[in-house]
Amino acid sequence: MALQSRHLLGLEGVSAEDITLILDTARSFREVLDRPIKKVPPLQGKTIVNLFFESSTRTRISFELAERRLSADVVNFAASGSSVSKGETLKDTARNIEAMRIDMVVIRHASSGAPHFLSRVVKANVINAGDGQHEHPTQALLDMMTLREKYGALKGLRVCIVGDILHSRVARSNIYGLKTMGAEVSVCGPATLIPRHMEELGVRVYHRLEDIIPRVDVLNVLRIQLERQKSGLFPSLREYHRYFGVTKERVEKAPQPITIMHPGPINRDVELSADLADGEHSVILEQVTNGVAIRMAILYLLGTAQSSERS
Ligand code: CP
C-alpha cells in the first residue's frame, strides 16, 4: 500500500484511505515504541534533513526520534546560526539540499506555502512540519490517532476546536482531516478569532463555551498566541480566560464525559486550567507519544515508496 502523493504538504484533499493507511501504520509503530529496543531498519541508508526556520519543541524532537528509530541518517538545521541569518534564500537552501543528495526534507517555516515551494524545486520527499497559518498535518494526524485509539473510530465523533481559529494551522489541518474521516467538527472562540465562512467547510461556529460543552465528546484547546492581544483581537488574558478558558468547573458540568486535547505549548490557566491539563480528562501526553508513531508512519510510507519507485 502506498500514499497517493510523494509529499505530505497538508491534509486538504487527502483521502480517507490515505489517512487510514497512515493511522494503521502508526499503530504498528506505536508497538515498536513500547519494545525494549525501539529501532527498526526500513530507512537505513536514507538521509533526512530537518529544516526548522521557526521554534519547536515537540515536532522537532519527535521527527528526529522517528527518523532515528527508523535507522535514517539525520541532519538538523536551525535558521539561527545558519546562513539564513546572512540572507540566504529558501531557494538557495533548497539547491544546496539537492546538491547534498538528501532523500527527505521536513520543514517548518513562518511563511504559508514554503513546503509547497520546496516540493517544486527539490527531488526529495517534503513533509510539512507547520507552515505559517496554513497547515500542520502531522499534528492533526497525531490528534486523530489519539482519538481513534480512545474511541475506536472517528466517524460521528463530536469534536470542538476552541480558541484562536483564525491564526491556527493546527485548527485548519484538524478540520480537513476530521471532516474527511466523518467526525462532526465545531469551533468556539471570540468572533475576532474565527474566520468568516467557516460554515462553508461544514463546521458549526459557537461563541460561548456553555453552548458547546454539553454537545461534544472532545475539546481540542488551542494555545492563545499572546502576541494577538497586541493587535486588539481580545482585550486581556484575564478576559480571555473568563469567557473562553476551559476549566474543570466548566467541563464537569457536562452530563457526558469529555476528552481534553491541546497541541502544546500550553499557557496554563489561560486557555486551559492546569488541573484539567494534568487531570483524568486529558490525553495531552498521549498525543505527544502518538506524535512519534505518526511521524514514523509518514517517513516510512514516503521513504519506502521512494525506494520502490527508484528500483
Ligand atoms: N504542537 C507543536 O507544533 O508544538 P511545537 O511548536 O513545540 O513543535
Side-chain angles (χ1 to χ4, degrees), residues 39-50:
K39 205 158 176 152
V40 285
L43 295 189
Q44 218 161 36
K46 299 277 182 198
T47 307
I48 305 177
V49 62
N50 299 313

Side-chain angles (χ1 to χ4, degrees), residues 55-68:
S55 55
S56 167
T57 300
R58 280 146 290 269
T59 312
R60 189 180 58 75
I61 293 174
S62 69
F63 262 114
E64 185 173 346
L65 261 180
E67 290 152 6
R68 293 191 190 282

Side-chain angles (χ1 to χ4, degrees), residues 88-156:
E88 186 160 69
T89 63
L90 181 58
K91 188 166 187 177
D92 281 336
T93 305
R95 284 200 171 126
N96 281 277
I97 291 169
E98 206 61 359
M100 286 187 247
R101 306 287 186 265
I102 302 280
D103 298 295
M104 304 178 87
V105 182
V106 175
I107 177 169
R108 170 169 286 196
H109 203 283
S111 300
S112 300
H116 305 69
F117 168 77
L118 204 60
S119 72
R120 289 193 292 272
V121 295
V122 297
K123 289 196 194 81
N125 307 96
V126 177
I127 302 173
N128 181 359
D131 64 323
Q133 298 172 11
H134 178 231
E135 282 221 42
H136 192 348
T138 57
Q139 178 67 46
L141 286 162
L142 73 88
D143 292 344
M144 286 192 278
M145 177 178 181
T146 306
L147 292 176
R148 201 178 72 152
E149 299 299 297
K150 186 172 171 84
Y151 292 97
L154 297 168
K155 194 170 169 57

Side-chain angles (χ1 to χ4, degrees), residues 1 3-4 14-22 24 180-181:
M1 291 277 278
L3 296 173
Q4 281 160 29
V14 175
S15 66
E17 291 71 27
D18 272 6
I19 292 176
T20 305
L21 175 60
I22 295 168
D24 289 346
T180 299
M181 297 306 286

Side-chain angles (χ1 to χ4, degrees), residues 28 51 70 93 133-134 159 161 165 177 184 233 245 254 279 302 309:
S28 47
L51 292 181
L70 292 168
T93 305
Q133 298 172 11
H134 178 231
V159 181
I161 307 169
I165 313 299
E184 279 179 33
L233 292 173
L302 296 179
E309 264 169 35

Side-chain angles (χ1 to χ4, degrees), residues 159-177:
V159 181
C160 181
I161 307 169
V162 181
D164 181 358
I165 313 299
L166 184 64
H167 302 96
S168 175
R169 54 197 180 201
V170 174
R172 207 173 302 275
S173 289
N174 261 281
I175 290 169
Y176 290 135

Side-chain angles (χ1 to χ4, degrees), residues 41 63 80 111 125 133 166 182 247 249-251 263 280 295:
F63 262 114
S80 58
S111 300
N125 307 96
Q133 298 172 11
L166 184 64
T247 61
E249 193 191 0
R250 281 187 156 132
V251 165
E280 57 183 357
R295 286 160 183 139

